[in-house]
Amino acid sequence: MMTSLPFSAMLFAFLAVQLVLALVSSLATDALRSAVQNVDDCPSCLGLLASFQALAIAGDDVFITSFTSLCIGLGAADPDVCTGIIAREGPILAHDLRQINTTGQTAEKLCDALLGMCVTHPVNPFAVPFPKPPPAHPKAFMSRGRAPVRVVHISDVHIDRMYTMGAEANCTKSICCRDFVDSPVTPTVPAGPNGNGHCDSPVTLADSMLREVEKLDPEFSIFTGDVVEGAVWLVDQDEVTMDLAAFNAEMAAKLSAPVFPSLGNHDSAPVNAFARTTSNAANNSQFVYDTQSAGWEQWIKATAASEVRHMSGSYSAKVPGMDLRIIAVNTQFWYKQNFWLYDSDIFQPDPNGVIAFMVDALQAAEDAGDRAWIIGHIPLGKEDTLVDQSNYYDQVLQRYKNTVAGQFFGHSHKDQFEIAYSDYRNQTAENAVSVALIGPALTPTSGNPAFKVYEIDPDTFEVMDASVFFTNISDPTFQISPTWGLFYSARKTYGPLVGLPAKEPLSPAFWHNLTEVFERNNTAFQMFNTFLSRNGAVTACEDDCVNTTICDMRAFRSENNCDTPAPGFSLKRRANRVPSPDSDECEGTGLSHLLSRMVLSVL
Ligand SMILES: *[C@@H]1O[C@H](CO)[C@@H](O)[C@H](O)[C@H]1NC(C)=O
Ligand SMILES: *[C@@H]1O[C@H](CO)[C@@H](O)[C@H](O)[C@H]1NC(C)=O
Ligand SMILES: *[C@@H]1O[C@H](CO)[C@@H](O)[C@H](O)[C@H]1NC(C)=O
Ligand SMILES: *[C@@H]1O[C@H](CO)[C@@H](O)[C@H](O)[C@H]1NC(C)=O
Ligand SMILES: *[C@@H]1O[C@H](CO)[C@@H](O)[C@H](O)[C@H]1NC(C)=O
Ligand SMILES: *[C@@H]1O[C@H](CO)[C@@H](O)[C@H](O)[C@H]1NC(C)=O
Ligand SMILES: *[C@@H]1O[C@H](CO)[C@@H](O)[C@H](O)[C@H]1NC(C)=O
Ligand SMILES: *[C@@H]1O[C@H](CO)[C@@H](O)[C@H](O)[C@H]1NC(C)=O
């Protein structure tokens, strides 16, 4: 039919459609502008979602065009950033809004994710099913005092393969040191060869770290995710696939011991986007699972590699020669900024069955008399994890506390820890059941590049010491050749403050007692505060901030942290980019950051 129309008629029809689209978009942009202007609490945020919903129903094109023009008009970010982010993440948000009631719980959660509003609703009760009750006589794992084995923990490498030496390092985007469309011809601050605090890691920096890790001769390494750089407005599936494969190849070439990796929220395209199986979406990140299944098989072996492919990126693998299993979980199904989680009003306690997978893997470990380490990207205690799944994960931990000998995460870019308690209303050393150790980042955007080195008891698989190794980006020799060295050892630095007896592990009780030291000894707390960024990007923390930071150390369940913002507060904090030392800076310039800046610009 169409082919029989004369060309001019087709052109006319095309132009008419474009004109209508432009008109609708411009009306829609005005409507959106007034909705944005009115946002200052939960009901007005839901009102904004209703305006967005009307646009979404008009179609993805109208939605994206209007949202983008308002983003640019309000100066929320550079035009290329507004355009790129909304083109990538916008269709997911539009898809959500077409499926949900804008006054329901899902909409409230979406407001929480987008603007830090409507955050007050409680955990949806759900009892995680377990195949067996806890054993009456749990196996005792006894240290025989053998020499510890060494394990290296790397995280958040964020390698920018388009890092360009000499490019502008002082730009208005979340990362610099690249030739962007709007980069100046003559840079004011040219990027050096080995990295810059405003930029993600050049390949040279990652290579230098891997060589240092190899020198330390670990038994094995763990990697807690985020390979891909932070120019999220440009990242696409091809880049993610290449970035993941390239880093797998580099680890394989430079490290002789196995690596047990896990997926980060940046390791997909668009950023944070991991679709639920129930979304029935073609865009379900299977390309990520396939890439990592193939890339990781050399270390985790065939069964686990098949799990990566079929279990949305999670796996359980035995460490060669040890009674230890590594259970890697895809934490992005519990991450507020994964906008695929909001496309239904039907509440799902366990998206993609990740929690059920953990239960099965832990039951298998318990049955075999093995111990297990859980590794993942996003630690569950912060405000960026949904309270529901954080609570259910904690139930799993309580059930298998005798099996879980360690938990390791990344994401915050900071050297931190979070403690789980059998009774969160009675937080004592006795009640501390597990501790999550959080690895610092390689990327220099949040402080000096670093990784952690653990000394592990080979019988209990408990951590005897945790040391941070770093390279100093401010040192004059850094641009010539990064020099790595010990920053501090937790046992040597914190042990005497806590009164840790020789031969005792850095147990959950030890970390709890350390939080008590921090409460009464501000000098010790301030030292911890400088350690967060390896003394590379220290944020002052006094008074209420100390209290909040210690409270957050005692919260492996996100419902127990002290981050819960008053309406509007988180908005200002997020948009002004003055995070407290404990908050999550890692989301960068995603959709929620843009929207926060849009609302703030008209407040
Ligand atoms: C899914 O991918 C297709 C093709 O790349 C794209 O057109 C569509 O907008 C995407 N849908 C969502 C919800 O992101
Ligand atoms: C949306 O949910 C509210 C209650 O939260 C209900 O009163 C209303 O009827 C629902 N709307 C639709 C279209 O289902
Ligand atoms: C970075 O750029 C800003 C303006 O964009 C300017 O005010 C500042 O002085 C620059 N910093 C350096 C070190 O050149
Ligand atoms: C708190 O836990 C301790 C064990 O550490 C226990 O002795 C005490 O009775 C508990 N207190 C309350 C109020 O539950
Ligand atoms: C890094 O180097 C700078 C410049 O030499 C120095 O002032 C700073 O104290 C060093 N930082 C650390 C953590 O060693
Ligand atoms: C923690 O402190 C309690 C109470 O002071 C003490 O009984 C316990 O031995 C300490 N545990 C560790 C591991 O330091
Ligand atoms: C407080 O901590 C500092 C180390 O940061 C230590 O030197 C000092 O002895 C501690 N004070 C007390 C009273 O334990
Ligand atoms: C924080 O402050 C509150 C209220 O002042 C107090 O109840 C709580 O014990 C403090 N927590 C810590 C860890 O200092």
Side-chain angles (χ1 to χ4, degrees):
M1 283 274 271
M2 283 297 284
T3 50
S4 65
L5 282 177
F7 177 72
S8 58
M10 279 170 61
L11 186 64
F12 178 77
F14 173 77
L15 289 176
V17 168
Q18 291 302 305
L19 186 65
V20 170
L21 184 59
L23 271 174
V24 170
S25 296
S26 110
L27 287 174
T29 306
D30 291 343
L32 206 53
R33 180 189 293 266
S34 70
V36 163
Q37 243 146 9
N38 288 327
V39 170
D40 61 1
D41 57 8
C42 181
S44 56
C45 180
L46 296 175
L48 177 65
L49 292 190
S51 306
F52 269 122
Q53 187 183 51
L55 289 176
I57 289 167
D60 282 4
D61 286 349
V62 172
F63 184 86
I64 292 168
T65 313
S66 325
F67 194 172
T68 305
S69 94
L70 192 60
C71 181
I72 295 172
L74 294 175
D78 292 349
D80 56 331
V81 174
C82 283
T83 305
I85 288 178
I86 297 168
R88 283 164 176 72
E89 298 183 56
I92 303 175
L93 188 57
H95 159 86
D96 290 341
L97 290 165
R98 286 189 290 265
Q99 323 284 327
I100 64 171
N101 183 334
T102 55
T103 61
Q105 191 192 89
T106 302
E108 290 188 352
K109 289 186 165 177
L110 193 48
C111 270
D112 177 358
L114 287 168
L115 289 167
M117 288 169 179
C118 317
V119 291
T120 51
H121 78 83
V123 173
N124 291 295
F126 174 71
V128 176
F130 297 114
K132 293 181 189 172
H137 305 286
K139 177 172 173 177
F141 294 91
M142 305 291 283
S143 174
R144 287 184 279 161
R146 293 197 289 158
V149 295
R150 182 171 291 165
V151 174
V152 167
H153 178 181
I154 58 184
S155 202
D156 295 86
V157 293
H158 290 288
I159 300 167
D160 185 358
R161 291 176 193 278
M162 283 186 273
Y163 183 101
T164 304
M165 207 176 117
E168 179 63 83
N170 179 29
C171 73
T172 49
K173 305 186 197 300
S174 57
I175 62 162
C176 308
C177 302
R178 266 194 190 196
D179 290 321
F180 293 119
V181 289
D182 55 356
S183 291
V185 181
T186 314
T188 59
V189 184
N194 292 323
N196 184 288
H198 294 120
C199 312
D200 272 335
S201 314
V203 176
T204 51
L205 180 62
D207 282 350
S208 147
M209 178 186 70
L210 291 174
R211 280 195 298 271
E212 187 68 20
V213 171
E214 180 64 8
K215 273 194 227 155
L216 293 167
D217 193 22
E219 205 72 25
F220 64 93
S221 296
I222 57 176
F223 168 55
T224 49
D226 271 6
V227 174
V228 179
E229 42 77 17
V232 298
W233 63 99
L234 294 171
V235 171
D236 58 19
Q237 293 198 2
D238 287 346
E239 189 203 321
V240 168
T241 307
M242 275 166 31
D243 286 356
L244 297 179
F247 188 55
N248 289 335
E250 283 156 6
M251 288 194 288
K254 294 206 165 52
L255 304 179
S256 40
V259 183
F260 294 90
S262 53
L263 286 177
N265 60 300
H266 278 264
D267 302 333
S268 188
V271 66
N272 308 331
F274 291 84
R276 298 188 290 190
T277 46
T278 49
S279 299
N280 223 347
N283 330 21
N284 61 2
S285 296
Q286 190 60 41
F287 78 101
V288 175
Y289 313 140
D290 291 345
T291 303
Q292 299 302 56
S293 174
W296 297 349
E297 182 166 353
Q298 56 186 321
W299 303 304
I300 67 177
K301 306 304 174 200
T303 306
S306 165
E307 288 167 352
V308 170
R309 199 182 288 274
H310 300 292
M311 298 301 310
S312 307
S314 300
Y315 69 86
S316 171
K318 217 169 144 93
V319 178
M322 297 188 198
D323 297 332
L324 176 66
R325 296 174 187 218
I326 307 289
I327 301 173
V329 292
N330 185 346
T331 56
Q332 282 65 251
F333 292 103
W334 316 321
Y335 184 41
K336 286 182 183 174
Q337 301 301 320
N338 177 2
F339 292 111
W340 283 108
L341 301 177
Y342 309 99
D343 71 349
S344 165
D345 282 323
I346 299 166
F347 176 68
Q348 288 185 33
D350 186 13
N352 289 34
V354 180
I355 288 173
F357 176 79
M358 265 175 79
V359 168
D360 288 346
L362 285 165
Q363 187 63 56
E366 182 182 278
D367 290 346
D370 285 350
R371 275 206 139 168
W373 283 4
I374 303 173
I375 68 169
H377 183 61
I378 305 175
L380 282 91
K382 295 179 203 294
E383 65 156 335
D384 57 358
T385 294
L386 289 156
V387 289
D388 304 301
Q389 283 78 30
S390 180
N391 179 289
Y392 313 153
Y393 180 115
D394 186 73
Q395 293 179 35
V396 177
L397 199 56
Q398 305 294 338
R399 162 65 184 82
Y400 294 101
K401 62 186 177 194
N402 192 56
T403 298
V404 177
Q407 298 192 83
F408 305 91
F409 298 90
H411 185 62
S412 70
H413 294 187
K414 301 187 185 91
D415 171 19
Q416 292 168 310
F417 61 91
E418 289 173 5
I419 304 163
Y421 297 89
S422 55
D423 180 356
Y424 281 88
R425 285 160 308 181
N426 186 13
Q427 296 172 317
T428 62
E430 255 185 329
N431 294 344
V433 299
S434 187
V435 65
L437 300 181
I438 300 170
L442 172 70
T443 179
T445 52
S446 331
N448 284 315
F451 60 88
K452 266 184 182 170
V453 179
Y454 303 119
E455 301 296 329
I456 304 298
D457 184 302
D459 295 304
T460 64
F461 306 106
E462 289 163 352
V463 176
M464 303 305 292
D465 196 4
S467 299
V468 170
F469 280 66
F470 84 120
T471 181
N472 186 346
I473 56 170
S474 309
D475 192 287
T477 63
F478 175 77
Q479 294 300 349
I480 301 160
S481 175
T483 312
W484 296 85
L486 177 68
F487 184 52
Y488 82 103
S489 134
R491 183 166 204 108
K492 287 200 187 70
T493 306
Y494 293 143
L497 296 174
V498 172
L500 179 70
K503 299 195 173 120
E504 288 289 311
L506 305 186
S507 62
F510 163 82
W511 291 103
H512 174 83
N513 286 357
L514 181 61
T515 66
E516 290 190 358
V517 169
F518 290 155
E519 269 179 315
R520 55 178 187 260
N521 183 343
N522 191 48
T523 312
F525 176 84
Q526 293 305 330
M527 183 173 67
F528 166 85
N529 192 50
T530 64
F531 285 0
L532 284 173
S533 62
R534 294 69 71 195
N535 208 358
V538 179
T539 310
C541 185
E542 306 281 353
D543 308 321
D544 285 355
C545 170
V546 177
N547 187 303
T548 302
T549 305
I550 293 173
C551 166
D552 287 0
M553 294 172 186
R554 295 176 179 165
F556 185 68
R557 271 194 332 199
S558 64
E559 70 200 81
N560 296 99
N561 72 41
C562 294
D563 295 337
T564 311
F569 170 74
S570 72
L571 195 60
K572 296 194 177 81
R573 192 185 59 180
R574 181 180 285 170
N576 290 337
R577 310 239 342 117
V578 280
S580 81
D582 210 49
S583 75
D584 167 44
E585 284 181 287
C586 185
E587 66 198 52
T589 47
L591 212 48
S592 70
H593 178 76
L594 290 187
L595 198 58
S596 300
R597 297 206 49 116
M598 286 162 66
V599 170
L600 196 71
S601 74
V602 293
L603 276 184

